């Protein structure tokens, strides 16, 4: 193989590589970028009271952490009742 042929081959290779890159970049422009999942506003999340099974907005609910879980209550009364029930269950 002569040096001239080698040069032509290198140029062809370079052109081919550039075309490939251009087509790849075109493809990426045509594809719609994935939309980020809509972030839930934590204030709009409804949580269920395990005692009276009422749905309460999370920011209004009373929280009780127990056994690594967080429970949400509509009122202190439900919270106390739940705590009593779980204590009775342990005994
Ligand atoms: Zn309740």
């Amino acid at each position: 193989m002569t040096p001239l042929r080698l040069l032509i081959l290198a140029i062809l290779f370079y052109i081919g590589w550039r075309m490939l890159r251009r087509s790849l970049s075109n493809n990426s422009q045509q594809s719609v970028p994935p939309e980020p999942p809509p972030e839930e506003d934590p204030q709009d999340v409804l949580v269920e009271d395990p005692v009276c099974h009422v749905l309460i907005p999370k920011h209004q609910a009373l929280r009780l952490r127990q056994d690594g879980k967080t429970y949400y209550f509509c009122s202190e009364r439900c919270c106390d009742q739940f705590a009593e029930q779980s204590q009775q269950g342990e005994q």
Side-chain angles (χ1 to χ4, degrees):
M1 197 179 272
T2 63
L4 186 66
R5 277 193 151 191
L6 204 68
L7 187 70
I8 290 168
L9 205 69
I11 289 168
L12 284 175
F13 191 83
Y14 178 68
I15 290 168
W17 179 74
R18 282 197 64 168
M19 282 172 73
L20 191 73
R21 269 197 66 177
R22 201 194 296 172
S23 71
L24 282 175
S25 66
N26 280 349
N27 283 344
S28 68
Q29 279 172 2
Q30 282 167 1
S31 67
V32 181
E35 281 185 34
E39 280 187 38
E40 272 186 301
D41 186 348
Q43 296 200 336
D44 286 342
V45 173
L46 289 176
V47 288
E48 189 179 348
D49 184 323
V51 177
C52 66
H53 302 286
V54 152
L55 291 173
I56 328 118
K58 207 170 187 177
H59 69 289
Q60 284 180 8
L62 279 169
R63 292 176 196 204
L64 178 71
R65 275 194 71 83
Q66 202 169 63
D67 301 328
K69 288 180 185 175
T70 307
Y71 299 94
Y72 299 92
F73 303 94
C74 66
S75 65
E76 274 184 48
R77 206 172 129 257
C78 284
C79 185
D80 289 345
Q81 200 176 323
F82 183 82
E84 267 177 44
Q85 281 175 357
S86 63
Q87 275 174 13
Q88 284 169 3
E90 283 169 11
Q91 284 168 0

